[in-house]
Amino acid sequence: MDLGLRGKSAIVCASSRGLGRGCAEALAEAGCDLVINGRDKDALEATRTYLTDTFQVKVSVVAADVSTPEGQAALLTACPEPDILVNNNGGPPRKDYTELNRSALLEGAIQNFVTPIELIQAVTPGMKNRGFGRIVNITSLSVKMPIEGLDLSSGARAGLTAFLAGVCRQLAPHGVTVNNLLPGKMDTDRLKGGFERSAQQSGQTVDAIRASQAAEIPARRFGTAEEFGQTCAFLCSRHAGYITGQNILMDGGLYPAAF
C-alpha cells in the first residue's frame, strides 16, 4: 500500500532503538525524510546508516535529551516544519508509589506529559497552515490497565491522553490528527531487562520467565518493533485522515475488555 508519505518530513523522538526505531524504519520505508533522536550517539549513527542505506531517504541525527528545552530546540532546528511528529520518551523506572518523592514525580511528569505537549505546541501551527499533520504519541497499555510499580508513568501518560482528547478535536478541521499507540509487552530491551529482574527475584531462569509471560498473552507471543512501526506509519498516512483521538492497543489481546 502506498501510504502517500514520500517526501514528507518526520521527527521521531527516542528512535535509536526499540519501538521508536521501529517507527523510524516504517516511515523511512514509506519515503519520509527523518530526524531521529536519542542520547546514545553511536546507536544513533548506526541507525542513520541503516536507514539511509536501506531506504535512500534523508536522515538527520539529534543526540539530545528530548525532555530538555535544549533538546527540543535542536530537534526543531533540524526539522522546523515537520509533517509528522512521533512522541516517544523513556518512562520513569519501576518504583513503588511510596518511594516517589516530589522530585521524581515532577521528572516523570516532564518526561511523559510536559515534553510531548511542548513539541505538539511547536509543530502544529505549521501543520495547520499546510493542511496536513500527523501526531502519534507512544504511551502504554498501563494507561488502561495499571501495572504495579509503573504508577508514575501510567499517571503522566493518562494525563497526556486526557489533555489531547480535546486538543485533537481543535486540530481536526485543519487536517491534523492526533492518536496514541499503547504498547503492551513488546520484545524490546526494556522488556528483557524486566525478565532479568524477575529472574533474580524469583530464582527462575530468564527463559522460564519469558515463556511464562508470553503464555499470559492471548497471541502467545510478544509484539515486535517492526509491526508496531508499521501501525504507526499507517496512522501517519494519507489513508488515516479520518482517525483521530484514538487509543490503539497493541498488546496481543492482553487487555481483557470489549471497549
Side-chain angles (χ1 to χ4, degrees), residues 94-116:
R94 186 182 292 265
K95 187 173 289 189
D96 189 82
Y97 81 98
T98 59
E99 302 175 77
L100 297 170
N101 57 27
R102 177 178 283 260
S103 177
L105 289 167
L106 292 175
E107 180 60 25
I110 289 170
Q111 288 179 346
N112 297 141
F113 177 76
V114 175
T115 294

Side-chain angles (χ1 to χ4, degrees), residues 97-180:
Y97 81 98
T98 59
E99 302 175 77
L100 297 170
N101 57 27
R102 177 178 283 260
S103 177
L105 289 167
L106 292 175
E107 180 60 25
I110 289 170
Q111 288 179 346
N112 297 141
F113 177 76
V114 175
T115 294
I117 291 171
E118 289 176 334
L119 286 170
I120 289 169
Q121 288 174 323
V123 304
T124 48
M127 291 179 174
K128 288 168 65 177
N129 289 337
R130 293 187 299 276
F132 179 92
R134 299 288 186 264
I135 297 166
V136 176
N137 306 293
I138 301 176
T139 62
S140 173
L141 167 65
S142 68
V143 169
K144 283 182 167 285
M145 187 173 79
I147 298 173
E148 184 178 349
L150 295 182
D151 310 288
L152 178 53
S153 172
S154 304
R157 288 175 163 140
L160 177 68
T161 303
F163 187 100
L164 295 177
V167 171
C168 72
R169 287 159 175 85
Q170 292 178 251
L171 295 171
H174 305 282
V176 180
T177 67
V178 184
N179 291 291
N180 308 308

Side-chain angles (χ1 to χ4, degrees), residues 206-219:
V206 170
D207 287 345
I209 295 290
R210 182 183 179 90
S212 174
Q213 292 195 19
E216 297 172 355
I217 303 168

